[in-house]
Amino acid sequence: MKRVRKSLIVGVLVVAVVGAGFGLYWFQPWKLWQDETVDEALPVAVGTSAPAAGETSAPPTAGETAAPPAPKTLAAGELISHEHDTSGSVRLVRLTDGSHVVRLENLDTSNGPDLRVWLTDAPVKEGTAGWRVFDDGRYVSLGKLKGNKGSQNYAVPADVELTQYSSVSIWCDRFDVSFGAAELARA
């Protein structure tokens, strides 16, 4: 009888240790106290291309400077909170080379496991009604969230048809829930 009881206690302890280890891995609760700040500048064109063979470019006239085209904001919005308190703004920007980035500015949210930046076609809803809608339709993952605070850029793949997407979500892929989202209003 004593031997059975001892085996049972050891078995329960092993299951408890394995369960606790899995729970810590899955939830990663320490991330709630770890902030990661990323402050990136808005990307600009690396340089201008040289004229093709046989082409010449006229230099600017006296008093005139050749200013490179500036990045253009195509859409913007303010982040609202969903599963976690989230604030900041989002811009969809066309860079001078024709590529696009989603820019998060002054982001402030909780850290968490497996956070992603998604460009989506879902409407942004306030409260718990908006927590889980972003994977119901079309979305493009722009990559892992670089930091839960600061300003950062996420390249949009060239083959993405931007007119089909209307919002951005800070998405927790592990728990299928939005930490926060912004509706993109066209500029």
Side-chain angles (χ1 to χ4, degrees):
M1 184 72 165
K2 245 182 181 182
R3 187 176 175 108
V4 171
R5 184 179 293 167
K6 190 174 184 178
S7 294
L8 182 62
I9 291 171
V10 168
V12 168
L13 285 174
V14 167
V15 169
V17 168
V18 169
F22 178 77
L24 287 171
Y25 166 76
W26 190 252
F27 288 98
Q28 299 177 0
W30 58 87
K31 285 195 171 187
L32 291 173
W33 296 279
Q34 293 176 332
D35 288 331
E36 189 163 343
T37 302
V38 174
D39 281 313
E40 297 178 327
L42 181 65
V44 293
V46 176
T48 58
S49 59
E55 283 185 23
T56 59
S57 60
T61 58
E64 182 182 326
T65 59
K72 181 177 180 178
T73 299
L74 303 177
E78 294 296 317
L79 288 162
I80 65 166
S81 298
H82 281 148
E83 172 71 15
H84 291 263
D85 287 339
T86 301
S87 63
S89 60
V90 177
R91 292 193 301 150
L92 175 60
V93 179
R94 182 177 58 229
L95 301 176
T96 57
D97 64 0
S99 64
H100 297 88
V101 296
V102 166
R103 178 160 174 82
L104 305 178
E105 295 179 327
N106 302 313
L107 174 65
D108 188 2
T109 191
S110 298
N111 205 342
D114 208 14
L115 295 179
R116 310 282 174 159
V117 177
W118 279 11
L119 186 60
T120 80
D121 66 351
V124 175
K125 299 176 184 178
E126 297 218 17
T128 57
W131 287 14
R132 300 185 188 276
V133 300
F134 296 99
D135 60 350
D136 293 345
R138 189 174 323 156
Y139 62 89
V140 176
S141 178
L142 302 179
K144 288 191 172 214
L145 186 68
K146 297 173 185 176
N148 63 310
K149 297 189 180 299
S151 298
Q152 46 212 270
N153 307 299
Y154 297 86
V156 177
D159 62 343
V160 171
E161 178 56 49
L162 294 173
T163 58
Q164 296 178 359
Y165 299 93
S166 58
S167 60
V168 171
S169 173
I170 308 300
W171 185 257
C172 180
D173 221 15
R174 178 153 309 153
F175 294 104
D176 292 328
V177 68
S178 174
F179 273 35
E183 191 79 36
L184 293 173
R186 301 291 172 186

